Amino acid sequence: MRLQCHLLAERKHFKTPCILSLVYPKKNGLDLFPFTLTASEQISGRDSFPVKSGRSPLQTLQENDQLEQSAVQATMQGRRELLEETCHTHTRKRRVLGPEDLRHLIVDDKHKLLYCYVPKVACTNWKRVMMVLTGDGRYREPLAIPANEAHIAGNLRSLSEYSTAEINKRLRTYLKFVFVREPFERLVSAYRNKFTRSYNTAFHKRYGTKIIQRHRADPQAEALEKGNDVSFEEFVYYLVDPQTQREEPFNEHWERVHSLCHPCLIHYDVVGKYETLAQDSRYILKLAGAEGEVKFPATSKSTRTTGDMAAKFFDNISPFYQKKLYNLYRMDFLLFNYSMPAYLKLR
């Protein structure tokens, strides 16, 4: 990955406005962000937002990478390198991002952080932490913030809300991080939460009724009306049905990470994993110099979706549909180094 702006980013002076691109070089061209920035905006540091004194999290990361690495630093570097290599290998088409593609990137101007949230990957707790970091003292304890409040639009700023120049500046200078999870564990977690909980009536009405209508033979009138008893098998049929995505994008709870966060177009400095959530969260907060301000909440949920639990949900899915579903989420498996689950009957 490199920064391209007519000249290399490390040089101190640009004579013309340019498109600032976080790019992975490819055989068939470059991926560009359509955000222009003048030379003075890129280099002068005349920011219209408050920043902490001293090094930014991104500078800290880059300086630390030059020193003898800890085990966590080495792990993070390995994840970045594998992600970049997989992007080179498996993406060919040029893709230009617009502001609407950046809705999942949450901004913390005080600590110079960009967090791409992925539903069902501890995003509620990370949003709570971001509210503490950006709240100017309004919040002190993440778990004191109600879960529903963490998801209210307006409590946190999205990168898509900024001007073109401001977007580009933050993409260039902020520490960008994302948390990922084994794709099928995340998918089963989304199904359990949205279709098997009685309180999620909005999802039952919005998606359940449609799934039952299309993918259940001879549905009962009550099921068509309430949509509250969708089976996992029916959910899989809905996901792999080409008509589903022709009509509208996937809901964010089961959309692929690579479609939510665009990791082959945006260079993420830290790729955290749900499987090492506590360790990776501490690492990010330390880079941000915020470990004294907030602690990432410890999780002790006994109802968490595990690999063994996910395997049981796939028992009734035929090999044909298992393969279709794996192909649908294949890029997330590859980009983030998750093996094909052993319980799949594809071999």
Side-chain angles (χ1 to χ4, degrees), residues 72-272:
V72 176
Q73 289 170 326
T75 296
M76 293 301 176
Q77 182 174 333
R79 290 175 186 173
R80 289 195 302 269
E81 290 174 352
L82 184 139
L83 176 58
E84 182 175 344
E85 181 58 36
T86 307
C87 288
H88 290 167
T89 303
H90 294 279
T91 57
R92 289 285 178 260
K93 293 181 180 179
R94 176 184 172 117
R95 169 81 162 87
V96 178
L97 292 180
E100 70 279 0
D101 296 303
L102 307 175
R103 290 179 296 105
H104 273 248
L105 282 156
I106 294 172
V107 181
D108 174 1
D109 282 328
K110 180 181 177 183
H111 300 87
K112 291 195 170 187
L113 298 174
L114 291 177
Y115 161 53
C116 188
Y117 74 89
V118 178
K120 308 312 299 179
V121 192
C123 81
T124 300
N125 278 343
W126 257 111
K127 284 182 177 181
R128 286 166 161 157
V129 168
M130 295 293 280
M131 288 174 71
V132 173
L133 293 177
T134 61
D136 296 322
R138 282 177 293 163
Y139 310 100
R140 296 192 180 278
E141 173 54 48
L143 290 181
I145 302 171
N148 65 315
E149 190 173 333
H151 298 294
I152 294 175
N155 280 344
L156 292 163
R157 288 200 71 181
S158 163
L159 189 60
S160 63
E161 299 172 28
Y162 290 77
S163 71
T164 294
E166 289 174 325
I167 288 171
N168 223 353
K169 187 183 300 182
R170 285 160 176 78
L171 284 171
R172 178 174 65 87
T173 60
Y174 283 19
L175 183 87
K176 297 165 290 295
F177 69 97
V178 60
F179 273 81
V180 301
R181 183 179 185 178
E182 201 280 339
F184 283 171
E185 287 183 26
R186 175 176 171 247
L187 186 66
V188 169
S189 178
Y191 166 76
R192 293 177 64 214
N193 179 253
K194 300 307 176 187
F195 294 106
T196 70
R197 304 288 190 264
S198 59
Y199 55 79
N200 267 322
T201 54
F203 268 81
H204 302 161
K205 279 284 191 180
R206 173 74 174 80
Y207 296 100
T209 54
K210 182 186 296 185
I211 292 171
I212 290 169
Q213 183 179 19
R214 288 187 183 171
H215 301 290
R216 181 179 299 180
D218 301 321
Q220 298 296 313
E222 184 180 4
L224 287 171
E225 180 187 355
K226 294 184 177 180
N228 61 353
D229 64 345
V230 171
S231 70
F232 184 68
E233 191 173 8
E234 291 167 338
F235 181 51
V236 170
Y237 294 159
Y238 164 78
L239 293 172
V240 302
D241 182 354
Q243 184 179 349
T244 298
Q245 289 192 80
R246 281 200 297 264
E247 288 184 350
E248 61 181 346
F250 277 167
N251 179 275
E252 63 178 12
H253 291 84
W254 48 84
E255 179 60 280
R256 286 70 52 94
V257 176
H258 73 267
S259 295
L260 292 175
C261 296
H262 313 286
C264 290
L265 299 174
I266 299 173
H267 174 74
Y268 286 95
D269 305 292
V270 178
V271 177

